[in-house]
Amino acid sequence: LGELNISPQLIAMVYSYMATKHVASESLQDMERTLGIACESISKALKQLEHHGYLAISRASKPYQYRVIK
């Protein structure tokens, strides 16, 4: 995680948000306004969550669709 400049706490915050308050039509910019975290950091957290099997990301349409798995 150090090479990504992203903390485990930020990843946990993004996951918690995704699991409880995220709606399918929400964009990264919407999440940025809600969480007060830069889009770039949210994107890195989402990619890590996908990599570790916590989220599924559908890149077939814009905005991407996110789904919590665990």
Side-chain angles (χ1 to χ4, degrees):
L1 297 179
E3 68 276 1
L4 295 174
N5 295 325
I6 188 169
S7 71
Q9 293 84 3
L10 185 127
I11 293 173
M13 180 188 295
V14 171
Y15 177 74
S16 176
Y17 177 79
M18 295 300 294
T20 59
K21 297 182 179 164
H22 176 72
V23 294
S25 62
E26 194 170 37
S27 69
L28 280 178
Q29 290 76 17
D30 296 332
M31 291 175 19
E32 177 182 43
R33 283 189 292 276
T34 302
L35 294 171
I37 301 170
C39 282
E40 181 178 291
S41 295
I42 294 171
S43 179
K44 288 178 183 179
L46 292 170
K47 287 177 186 174
Q48 282 300 302
L49 289 165
E50 178 188 34
H51 177 74
H52 292 285
Y54 289 92
L55 289 179
I57 302 175
S58 171
R59 293 176 174 87
S61 65
K62 296 278 185 160
Y64 295 155
Q65 299 295 306
Y66 306 96
R67 183 176 51 87
V68 174
I69 296 172
K70 293 182 182 178

